[in-house]
């Protein structure tokens, strides 16, 4: 006969509430002007991987002109983006970027 081990998990509602408040505060602060994203943040915002973003957005000739104003074009070896402008771009091109190919 198998021996079973039981665990009891106790969750402190005050702790959970504080986590929610902290995360909400962080997300609201990230919406201001001057906010920059890195590639990890862009991956998180779009639910897409680096290779897809490079091919379909960042290095896509159709978006080259727009990307000049939104990105640093990976100068210094790291992609950086103007958060609000990238957010607007993604909203504007949502259907184009998510249609089946």
């Amino acid at each position: 006969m198998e021996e079973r081990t039981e665990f009891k998990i106790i969750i402190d509602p005050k702790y959970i509430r504080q986590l929610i408040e902290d995360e909400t505060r962080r997300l609201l602060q990230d919406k201001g002007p001057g906010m920059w994203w890195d590639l990890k943040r862009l991956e998180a915002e779009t639910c897409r991987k680096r290779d897809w973003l490079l091919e379909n957005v960042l290095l896509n000739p159709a978006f080259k002109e727009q990307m000049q104003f939104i990105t640093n074009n990976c100068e210094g070896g790291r992609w950086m983006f103007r958060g609000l402008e990238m957010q607007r771009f993604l909203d504007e091109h949502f259907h184009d970027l998510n249609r089946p190919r």
Side-chain angles (χ1 to χ4, degrees), residues 33-80:
M35 172 192 52
W36 293 358
W37 294 356
D38 61 6
L39 193 53
K40 262 198 180 331
R41 174 71 184 262
L42 184 59
E43 285 179 295
E45 293 288 338
T46 60
C47 300
R48 299 289 186 160
K49 295 290 182 194
R50 174 189 174 91
D51 291 343
W52 188 93
L53 290 166
L54 288 170
E55 180 181 341
N56 294 284
V57 179
L58 303 175
L59 302 178
N60 184 336
F63 302 131
K64 183 178 181 176
E65 191 172 316
Q66 287 173 290
M67 289 300 112
Q68 289 177 348
F69 298 103
I70 298 172
T71 76
N72 70 341
N73 292 311
C74 199
E75 287 182 23
R78 181 173 184 185
W79 283 99
M80 296 299 293

Side-chain angles (χ1 to χ4, degrees), residues 79-101:
W79 283 99
M80 296 299 293
F81 313 96
R82 292 182 174 156
L84 291 176
E85 285 83 351
M86 182 56 87
Q87 199 171 41
R88 284 187 203 115
F89 171 85
L90 293 170
D91 286 342
E92 182 179 320
H93 295 281
F94 177 81
H95 292 292
D96 295 330
L97 294 170
N98 290 290
R99 78 170 57 139
R101 303 203 184 259

